[in-house]
Amino acid sequence: AKQDGRNTYHHYDESLDKASENKFKMLQLLRPALSEQQFELHYQPIVELKSGNINTLEALLRWPQPDGSMIPPDLFIPLAESSGLINELGSWVVRQATQFCAQLRQQGHSDIRIAVNLSVMQFKDGQLQRTIESALYEAGLPPEALELELTESLLIDETEQIQKQLASLSKLGITIAIDDFGTGYSNLGYLRNFNASKLKVDRSFISPLCFSEHDESLVGAIINMAASLGLKTVAEGIEDDETLQKLLSLGCDIGQGYYWSKPLPENALIEYLLNRNTL
Ligand code: C2E
Ligand code: CA
Ligand code: CA
Ligand code: CA
């Protein structure tokens, strides 16, 4: 029977596919990675289209590996969520990003703001507001310097609990942005319940904008409806001038994408801002 058991186990072991094996390994590496400060934030400029001003930077998590490669956030964030590590990781992101924002303000970028992505899990332990307020306090930043990005799909569940917390955060002066808009099922009116003042249109609608009339009229309609609700529209994933011009003609307020810059590590971002200001 023992032999059978071992054989069965062995068989099961072999049937584990490579992907879930890698997932399991990654999961075990996540916690030490956080305590050993292996994670980094990279920052991508968000640009006011008419003036060309950079008024916000989006903080994006990176997990550099010993071989020089990076594990992308789309891979490890779902694991951090399922393992419960996301609260700790998310708090680290808020503290790190606010510290960097304060540093930039001291270096003369006195109006620069920072945008941080939140996971729905971070609304469940009741510590979010306290974490955010103490990060702002320690960095010496006003709440207006912080923007929180929440994906549209996240707002479908647990709405009441999330709405209350967002109302309270926005009352402090923190900006709420709805991320990946267009990929979920909510309508624009519904988003008002979340105290949002910005809408980030998902990249999947922007990249092919120059080729598809359908996408163009859809994005135009989103921009107009958002404006009538008092929301500003941010277009993600702008990669070329043609797309930028099209978005300007559709009345889009704000943009982000490789056209200006990829997400950059702190020092490279500081250099980028300096070069831009002297142009
Ligand atoms: P997101 O919030 O929608 O972030 C935008 C993603 O689009 C980023 O991918 C960015 O590098 C990429 N991007 C920006 N401009 C362009 C462009 O012009 N072309 C193309 N092809 N891509 C562009 P990234 O950094 O890989 O992040 C992926 C996702 O991981 C993010 O999507 C966000 O949902 C999540 N994420 C990243 N950092 C955090 C974090 O600190 N907390 C949480 N909860 N999620 C995070
Ligand atoms: Ca985002
Ligand atoms: Ca997005
Ligand atoms: Ca996304």
Side-chain angles (χ1 to χ4, degrees):
K2 211 177 177 189
Q3 188 71 30
D4 274 346
R6 201 196 272 149
N7 282 343
T8 309
Y9 176 73
H10 190 67
H11 178 74
Y12 169 75
D13 203 14
E14 276 183 338
S15 77
L16 277 178
D17 57 72
K18 197 83 192 146
S20 56
E21 198 180 304
N22 285 341
K23 244 188 192 176
F24 183 71
K25 278 185 195 151
M26 214 191 282
L27 195 54
Q28 289 188 309
L29 292 172
L30 269 177
R31 189 169 287 280
L34 184 57
S35 56
E36 288 161 20
Q37 304 259 24
Q38 287 174 19
F39 291 103
E40 279 177 19
L41 287 180
H42 286 195
Y43 297 90
Q44 188 176 34
I46 300 179
V47 181
E48 248 162 354
L49 296 185
K50 272 188 206 131
S51 65
N53 286 342
I54 296 171
N55 61 0
T56 310
L57 303 172
E58 180 175 0
L60 293 153
L61 262 173
R62 297 289 180 264
W63 188 9
Q65 298 302 296
D67 67 359
S69 66
M70 296 265 185
I71 300 182
D74 287 331
L75 274 181
F76 68 81
I77 283 167
L79 290 178
E81 287 171 339
S82 62
S83 65
L85 194 68
I86 192 70
N87 283 315
E88 226 176 298
L89 183 57
S91 300
W92 180 83
V93 168
V94 172
R95 287 197 306 274
Q96 191 78 11
T98 47
Q99 290 292 335
F100 184 56
C101 183
Q103 184 191 331
L104 289 174
R105 285 183 171 220
Q106 277 156 16
Q107 290 175 2
H109 305 284
S110 49
D111 296 324
I112 204 113
R113 305 165 70 253
I114 204 86
V116 165
N117 293 282
L118 292 184
S119 153
V120 68
M121 297 277 295
Q122 293 173 264
F123 287 87
K124 291 185 178 167
D125 75 349
Q127 296 298 307
L128 183 63
Q129 179 155 346
R130 191 207 290 245
T131 301
I132 288 171
E133 282 185 289
S134 71
L136 288 170
Y137 178 78
E138 275 163 36
L141 283 180
E144 289 73 20
L146 182 64
E147 189 162 315
L148 301 175
E149 297 194 2
L150 295 101
T151 61
E152 185 197 7
S153 55
L154 174 159
L155 302 176
I156 291 163
D157 311 316
E158 324 276 347
T159 52
E160 217 172 300
Q161 203 190 12
I162 294 177
Q163 279 173 30
K164 267 194 208 144
Q165 294 181 62
L166 289 178
S168 160
L169 288 163
S170 97
K171 214 169 158 193
L172 287 177
I174 292 167
T175 304
I176 312 294
I178 305 301
D179 207 351
D180 300 345
F181 186 77
T183 58
Y185 303 97
S186 51
N187 63 51
L188 276 170
Y190 172 80
L191 295 178
R192 281 205 290 190
N193 300 334
F194 297 95
N195 287 275
S197 54
K198 276 191 188 168
L199 211 62
K200 299 189 80 172
V201 179
D202 193 66
R203 196 171 77 222
S204 58
F205 296 98
I206 305 301
S207 315
L209 203 59
C210 294
F211 311 106
S212 155
E213 299 224 341
H214 173 72
D215 282 336
E216 192 178 325
S217 53
L218 187 63
V219 172
I222 292 173
I223 292 168
N224 290 335
M225 278 192 286
S228 72
L229 290 166
L231 297 165
K232 292 205 163 175
T233 307
V234 184
E236 293 186 318
I238 301 176
E239 294 185 355
D240 51 54
D241 190 58
E242 204 181 343
T243 305
L244 169 61
Q245 295 312 323
K246 202 147 263 179
L247 284 159
L248 275 168
S249 74
L250 293 172
C252 185
D253 304 299
I254 306 166
Q256 174 179 4
Y258 296 171
Y259 176 70
W260 293 278
S261 172
K262 291 192 173 188
L264 298 170
E266 291 187 357
N267 287 339
L269 195 275
I270 289 171
E271 199 144 304
Y272 178 84
L273 291 179
L274 285 176
N275 288 334
R276 239 182 113 80
N277 286 347
T278 52
L279 283 178

